[in-house]
Amino acid sequence: MSGFVKAIGHDAFLKMLDKAPRDQLWDSYLTQSAANVPELPAESSYLNEYMMIRRENCLEEAYFTVYSMFMDQARIIAVEIINQIHSPLKRIQPIKGSTLEYIHDGIRFRIIDDIKISEYSWLYGKSDKNTLGANKSVGNELRAMSSIFKLDNYRGLLNLPYYCLIDYMGYRVSAQTHIHTDAETLVFGTVDGGANFKQDFIGATISREYGYKLNLKEHYVESFNGYSNNGIYTNMPGNFQLHKLEENGEISYWGVELSQLFPATSATNLFHEQFRPEFLQTYQQCLSSDSFSYWGRSGYREHNSEVFEAINVLHSFTKNFVLGLNIESVGDVKTILHQNGINLRLLGIMYNQEDADPLVRNRLLLEMVARSLKVILTKNIRTAKEKWMEVSHDPYKRLILKTLNNALKPNTKQSEILLNTILEKYELPPDTKLDDKVHELNPIDIINILNDLSWFQIDNWTPGTIRPSSITVEPKVKTIRVETC
């Protein structure tokens, strides 16, 4: 429980959330002096609670009870971290040597952002910063954890930390149980970027067991120090780590670094564009997690060729799939696509099938518009927050409504940005004409989808108006029970 909650009591805090304007609540919260806020414990009991559940062979409900407590606390602290990010008064300090990572109440937080790896290059955006790609990457990690969890309902040999993502005010924050891992606890994988690898029987068994269940191919990962005999055979990605922890005589194995678990579907966006697990489960052969990656340079011709073939199969399946849809069968677009192993970024391929039901194509366009607006709004709000450094929500609410009004109006700069975002995000041909079709859509239908995706809710809004009271701001938490967008 955070120090602020302890200071006023949990029930009282919940009542404040219900009754007090959030702008006022967090403004008051951030201006409290450190002397008035109790010291927080360095560690929480989440790890101990988790191990108790495993030890006592408790029911799944027990796991999710503790997980729910973790998510509630992570949400509260993540909101505070984001609200204080540009404030000189920071009650929660980042860890030494970092401006993006925090450890608080036994939970490790990270503000997600692209990483500059050289003067002119970014990890996710190559020559331009790509925060969206970074957000997608941690979304992949959540999906990987969810897939492993579903294999054995936490009863297998592989343990995973509690993990969730919090979207709020244009930022995404990851939160996970803080566990102490280092070179001494490592039993399988590498902690020095691939210079040296460790492997033991348990680690190899876990890699093989979970890899085969997820239809991942065993492959050899060479050491980066030039000694080819210092690598490992693995079904997991090359940067996967397995750690052996021992406490009070109890041994447990913990897996971390899972964002690259599923094979990439792009050689240029390999860190955030991946096959969905539903597709892999039904595909005819295993694929390497390290396709297109330097981790997979040993045997890369074979591994990459197999993945290229799988990409062609996925695209062919996607084109045929949309031809069999009618408007009654579409339902929730994200759900039906994900159930069939189709990535949402392939909406453009589906939309381009002119023989598909026109009503279905219109529904797909509606989805693309709403999701593209989410991208634009996330970028605009984050940029504004860095510039304005406002705690109050009202300026950002006005910015959201102003952006929507302009984007949904023909022949405006924001409208052009929206159209270009749709073309780029869904890989549509540059000459695709969408202008008239987009502006024929019902703005309220767009907002209804946008509300499901976002950390804000728009109600009782009339297009063309700017009324901040029509927006409610609430952090959106994504968990292993909720597939990432």
Side-chain angles (χ1 to χ4, degrees), residues 47-48 50-51 157 159-161 177-187 200 202 242-256:
L47 191 58
N48 294 333
Y50 176 89
M51 293 311 300
L157 192 58
N159 296 285
L160 301 175
T177 312
H178 177 55
I179 55 176
H180 177 74
T181 59
D182 55 26
E184 296 300 317
T185 62
L186 182 75
V187 293
D200 67 359
I202 296 293
L242 184 72
H243 293 267
K244 178 182 178 181
L245 303 184
E246 184 172 357
E247 186 171 353
N248 299 324
E250 187 173 6
I251 295 175
S252 56
Y253 291 87
W254 295 80
V256 296

Side-chain angles (χ1 to χ4, degrees), residues 354-368:
E354 295 183 355
D355 292 337
D357 184 330
L359 294 177
V360 170
R361 294 184 71 211
N362 194 67
R363 177 65 182 84
L364 299 179
L365 179 60
L366 193 66
E367 193 79 21
M368 290 191 289

Side-chain angles (χ1 to χ4, degrees), residues 255-273:
V256 296
E257 301 293 345
L258 286 163
S259 64
Q260 301 303 303
L261 179 65
F262 299 121
T265 57
S266 167
T268 55
N269 296 322
L270 61 94
F271 293 118
H272 55 278
E273 293 188 4

Side-chain angles (χ1 to χ4, degrees), residues 310-322:
I311 293 171
N312 291 334
V313 171
L314 174 60
H315 285 192
S316 295
F317 172 76
T318 301
K319 293 175 183 178
N320 291 326
F321 180 77
V322 70

Side-chain angles (χ1 to χ4, degrees), residues 187-406:
V187 293
F188 188 87
T190 177
V191 292
D192 54 15
N196 297 282
F197 286 90
K198 285 185 179 181
Q199 59 178 322
D200 67 359
F201 176 76
I202 296 293
T205 300
I206 288 176
S207 166
R208 189 173 297 111
E209 175 186 348
Y210 286 89
Y212 282 142
K213 286 180 179 179
L214 295 168
N215 208 22
L216 301 175
K217 182 180 181 180
E218 185 178 63
H219 59 286
Y220 187 71
V221 180
E222 291 183 6
S223 166
F224 285 9
N225 64 15
Y227 298 103
S228 60
N229 62 346
N230 189 28
I232 56 171
Y233 283 97
T234 180
N235 296 71
M236 307 296 266
N239 64 335
F240 170 73
Q241 300 173 16
L242 184 72
H243 293 267
K244 178 182 178 181
L245 303 184
E246 184 172 357
E247 186 171 353
N248 299 324
E250 187 173 6
I251 295 175
S252 56
Y253 291 87
W254 295 80
V256 296
E257 301 293 345
L258 286 163
S259 64
Q260 301 303 303
L261 179 65
F262 299 121
T265 57
S266 167
T268 55
N269 296 322
L270 61 94
F271 293 118
H272 55 278
E273 293 188 4
Q274 301 176 354
F275 289 103
R276 288 199 60 83
E278 297 89 348
F279 173 81
L280 294 173
Q281 288 291 310
T282 60
Y283 190 58
Q284 59 191 3
Q285 69 179 108
C286 299
L287 299 176
S288 169
S289 295
D290 290 322
S291 55
F292 306 137
S293 164
Y294 193 65
W295 294 101
R297 66 192 185 281
S298 177
Y300 73 94
R301 286 189 178 87
E302 176 184 306
H303 304 322
N304 293 356
S305 175
E306 292 170 347
V307 168
F308 276 125
E309 175 61 29
I311 293 171
N312 291 334
V313 171
L314 174 60
H315 285 192
S316 295
F317 172 76
T318 301
K319 293 175 183 178
N320 291 326
F321 180 77
V322 70
L323 297 178
L325 292 177
N326 55 54
I327 195 62
E328 288 78 19
S329 63
V330 172
D332 180 73
V333 171
K334 184 184 79 168
T335 299
I336 191 170
L337 262 61
H338 285 178
Q339 286 176 345
N340 288 275
I342 300 174
N343 305 87
L344 282 164
R345 64 177 172 273
L346 300 182
L347 281 168
I349 290 179
M350 300 175 72
Y351 179 80
N352 256 357
Q353 304 309 302
E354 295 183 355
D355 292 337
D357 184 330
L359 294 177
V360 170
R361 294 184 71 211
N362 194 67
R363 177 65 182 84
L364 299 179
L365 179 60
L366 193 66
E367 193 79 21
M368 290 191 289
V369 170
R371 290 179 178 275
S372 297
L373 281 171
K374 177 191 172 186
V375 171
I376 294 169
L377 289 168
T378 296
K379 181 178 180 180
N380 287 357
I381 295 298
R382 183 160 176 160
T383 301
K385 191 165 180 61
E386 291 171 355
K387 181 180 178 180
W388 299 341
M389 296 184 285
E390 283 276 356
V391 176
S392 170
H393 290 150
D394 277 358
Y396 307 108
K397 292 178 180 180
R398 292 189 183 95
L399 178 58
I400 290 171
L401 296 175
K402 182 179 179 180
T403 301
L404 289 174
N405 284 329
N406 289 330

Side-chain angles (χ1 to χ4, degrees), residues 5-61:
V5 181
K6 286 180 179 178
I8 67 171
H10 187 264
D11 293 339
F13 179 74
L14 292 179
K15 290 179 180 178
M16 287 182 70
L17 288 181
D18 290 335
K19 295 180 179 179
R22 290 191 180 276
D23 302 346
Q24 177 185 337
L25 174 63
W26 291 116
D27 185 56
S28 171
Y29 177 48
L30 286 173
T31 55
Q32 291 184 87
S33 67
N36 292 330
V37 180
E39 289 295 322
L40 300 171
E43 297 293 338
S44 75
S45 61
Y46 291 121
L47 191 58
N48 294 333
E49 292 281 355
Y50 176 89
M51 293 311 300
M52 183 275 292
I53 292 170
R54 292 292 301 262
R55 184 169 55 250
E56 301 297 330
N57 199 28
C58 294
L59 297 175
E60 186 176 333
E61 286 76 9

